[in-house]
Amino acid sequence: MDFGFILTIFLIGFIGSFISGMLGIGGSIIKYPMLLYIPPMLGFAAFTAHEVSGISAVQVFFATIGGVWAYRKGGYLNKSLIAYMGVSILIGSFLGGYGSKLMSEGGINLIYGLLALIAAVMMFIPKKGIDDIPLDQVKFNKWIAAILSLIVGIGAGIVGAAGAFLLVPIMLVVLKIPTRMTIASSLAITLISSIGATVGKVTTGQVDYGPAAIMVVASLIASPLGAMAGKKMNTKILQVILALLILATAINIWKDIL
């Protein structure tokens, strides 16, 4: 690996992980297309969809550790929500990550595009009054949370994305969780989810360890910085940024599929 390639991978990891910490997502919603498209645009060797999903799975694990650590104080982490959704998504992501070995690259991209499209639609549904609920009075339907996170885990495990870009709109729109609690708790759930996806990718030989190591270093630096920025931003602005990011990624992936 030459210096230009290393710098490119590091910057992709840094940008994605900063957004990860700020918005409560694993960062694959932006890093997946960046890893897929940017290296060949700059004249470097292109990664396959399998390699990108494997690198993403490993990187997300470390990015979410940094984000959760930054949110550990202030009552933002809903332990009951994390437990119900975390266990379900761990099971689903392991099944998806292991089963992805049997899928074509086109199939992996199609799954990713469908997940991003669903998430984008959900983010534009009005979310009135959720941030008026005190953090210590938040309630949610445990069965719905568990079932939806299992489904998300299977799909997200396939693409190595850990599923946070779908978990966030589910938590905001379906479960009515306040924005900052959603961001912090989704990072913790994504951390659990990424264990299953990472084990599935590693055991089936889908991880390129050199680029993955570079992304991990970038993650550990950038994710806590993003979390600190997210704490200071208006919740409506955070929601709009996430919605636009998911929409732009969905459009980009579908352009490639079609």
Side-chain angles (χ1 to χ4, degrees):
M1 292 189 291
D2 62 28
F3 179 75
F5 181 73
I6 292 172
L7 181 62
T8 299
I9 300 302
F10 181 85
L11 289 175
I12 290 173
F14 190 94
I15 293 168
S17 297
F18 185 88
I19 293 170
S20 165
M22 184 171 68
L23 299 177
I25 58 176
S28 285
I29 190 71
I30 185 169
K31 276 171 287 196
Y32 186 93
M34 287 174 76
L35 278 171
L36 208 55
Y37 303 124
I38 291 178
M41 281 172 53
L42 298 178
F44 301 114
F47 293 111
T48 66
H50 282 291
E51 288 172 334
V52 169
S53 63
I55 293 168
S56 295
V58 173
Q59 181 277 328
V60 162
F61 175 75
F62 288 93
T64 49
I65 287 176
V68 170
W69 181 257
Y71 274 111
R72 69 191 185 280
K73 297 178 181 178
Y76 297 114
L77 295 167
N78 187 315
K79 294 180 177 61
S80 176
L81 183 68
I82 293 166
Y84 276 93
M85 298 189 80
V87 171
S88 295
I89 203 168
L90 175 59
I91 296 168
S93 65
F94 179 77
L95 294 173
Y98 193 83
S100 63
K101 180 74 172 178
L102 306 175
M103 294 186 66
S104 67
E105 289 190 25
I108 291 176
N109 283 331
L110 181 62
I111 292 290
Y112 189 82
L114 288 171
L115 290 174
L117 183 62
I118 293 168
V121 171
M122 290 179 69
M123 281 306 298
F124 286 97
I125 296 173
K127 295 169 278 292
K128 296 179 181 179
I130 61 169
D131 290 317
D132 297 331
I133 306 169
L135 296 182
D136 58 353
Q137 295 178 26
V138 172
K139 297 179 180 179
F140 63 96
N141 187 306
K142 296 178 175 61
W143 280 106
I144 291 177
I147 292 169
L148 289 178
S149 57
L150 176 67
I151 294 169
V152 168
I154 293 171
I158 290 171
V159 299
F165 66 96
L166 243 183
L167 285 179
V168 169
I170 285 173
M171 292 163 77
L172 290 171
V173 178
V174 181
L175 302 178
K176 308 294 184 186
I177 307 295
T179 305
R180 293 197 197 284
M181 180 174 281
T182 289
I183 289 172
S185 299
S186 70
L187 279 169
I189 295 165
T190 303
L191 172 60
I192 297 170
S193 165
S194 67
I195 296 170
T198 301
V199 170
K201 295 293 182 181
V202 170
T203 54
T204 52
Q206 297 182 64
V207 179
D208 189 334
Y209 290 102
I214 297 168
M215 297 278 281
V216 165
V217 173
S219 300
L220 293 175
I221 298 170
S223 186
L225 295 176
M228 286 189 283
K231 287 180 182 179
K232 298 175 182 177
M233 291 182 69
N234 182 287
T235 54
K236 297 297 182 186
I237 295 175
L238 289 171
Q239 289 181 20
V240 169
I241 293 172
L242 182 58
L244 293 175
L245 180 62
I246 293 174
L247 178 63
T249 303
I251 291 171
N252 198 25
I253 290 292
W254 278 103
K255 277 171 59 182
D256 189 59
I257 292 171
L258 299 174

